[in-house]
Amino acid sequence: MEQSLVIIKPSGVQRGLIGKIIDRFQQKGLIICGLKMMNLSEELLREHYAHLVEKPFFPTLLKSMMATPVVVICLKGVDAVAVVRGMVGTTNARNAAPGTIRGDYGMSSQENIVHASDSPENGVIETKRFFKPEEIFDYTPVCINFIYAPDELN
Ligand code: TYD
C-alpha cells in the first residue's frame, strides 16, 4: 500500500478544522498510521519546499507554515497518494472543487488548509521527513476486508 503525508497547516489548525479533516480521511477508508502535532522549523521547511525556495512567495509561505503548530498525518491505502490529492483539491483553494478539503474550507493559495504528498515516492520521503520510524504504526484494521476486495489488496 502507498503512504501519503498530510500536514494540517496553521490555517487548518487556527480555523478549528483538525477533527473535520481527520474524519474525512477516516471515513474514506484510509488508514492512519502516524499522527502528531509539531512545530515546523525553517530548516525542515526549506527541505520540504525545496522546489519553491526561489519563488517570490517563499518568505510568506515560511512564515505561514511556522505561525502555529501543525498536525502531521501519515495515511496508508491502495493508491493513497492520488486518492488523498483528489480529496485535498487544487493548490488555490478558491478554485478547488466543492467537496474537496480546500474547496470546502479555503479561500487562498497560501492559506490552503492542508499539504498532501504529490507522488508515491514523495509519500515515502515525506513520511520519513516528519516521523521517526517508531512513530509509524503498521497495523491492519479489522474491517480491512470491508474496505477492499481481496484482489485489490495484492
Ligand atoms: P505546491 O507544491 O505548488 O502546491 P501543493 O501544496 O498543492 O502541492 O506549493 C506548495 C505550497 O506553496 C502551497 O500549498 C501553498 C504555497 N503556494 C503559494 O503560497 N502561492 C503559490 O502561488 C503557490 C503555487 C504555492
Side-chain angles (χ1 to χ4, degrees):
M1 284 192 191
E2 287 178 7
Q3 283 181 335
S4 175
L5 187 279
V6 168
I7 304 173
I8 304 180
K9 298 182 179 186
S11 48
V13 172
Q14 285 292 308
R15 299 268 311 281
L17 297 171
I18 296 171
K20 282 196 168 73
I21 292 166
I22 292 173
D23 203 32
R24 284 188 181 220
F25 293 128
Q26 282 197 296
Q27 287 182 331
K28 177 68 174 166
L30 289 151
I31 301 164
I32 296 175
C33 48
L35 178 66
K36 66 177 178 181
M37 183 172 256
M38 66 187 290
N39 285 309
L40 301 181
S41 66
E42 180 169 341
E43 189 187 2
L44 187 71
L45 284 164
R46 283 186 175 278
E47 189 184 311
H48 182 63
Y49 284 135
H51 60 298
L52 298 173
V53 287
E54 303 300 332
K55 299 281 185 192
F57 59 81
F58 189 72
T60 57
L61 175 61
L62 263 185
K63 198 172 169 201
S64 161
M65 293 296 289
M66 295 170 72
T68 73
V70 299
V71 173
V72 289
I73 311 165
C74 177
L75 296 170
K76 192 172 72 171
V78 175
D79 301 331
V81 167
V83 168
V84 172
R85 289 284 287 191
M87 291 176 73
V88 163
T90 54
T91 305
N92 185 339
R94 286 196 298 284
N95 303 330
T100 64
I101 292 169
R102 288 169 173 169
D104 286 354
Y105 299 134
M107 282 294 285
S108 165
S109 239
Q110 188 163 283
E111 304 303 327
N112 62 0
I113 317 293
V114 285
H115 163 83
S117 304
D118 64 2
S119 69
E121 297 73 29
N122 279 338
V124 174
I125 292 167
E126 292 177 357
T127 296
K128 287 187 178 138
R129 181 174 295 144
F130 289 90
F131 287 96
K132 297 179 189 136
E134 64 268 27
E135 292 173 331
I136 297 297
F137 299 91
D138 189 19
Y139 65 98
T140 302
V142 289
C143 62
I144 193 76
N145 294 319
F146 296 92
I147 300 174
Y148 298 105
D151 64 329
E152 293 171 312
L153 286 170
N154 293 327

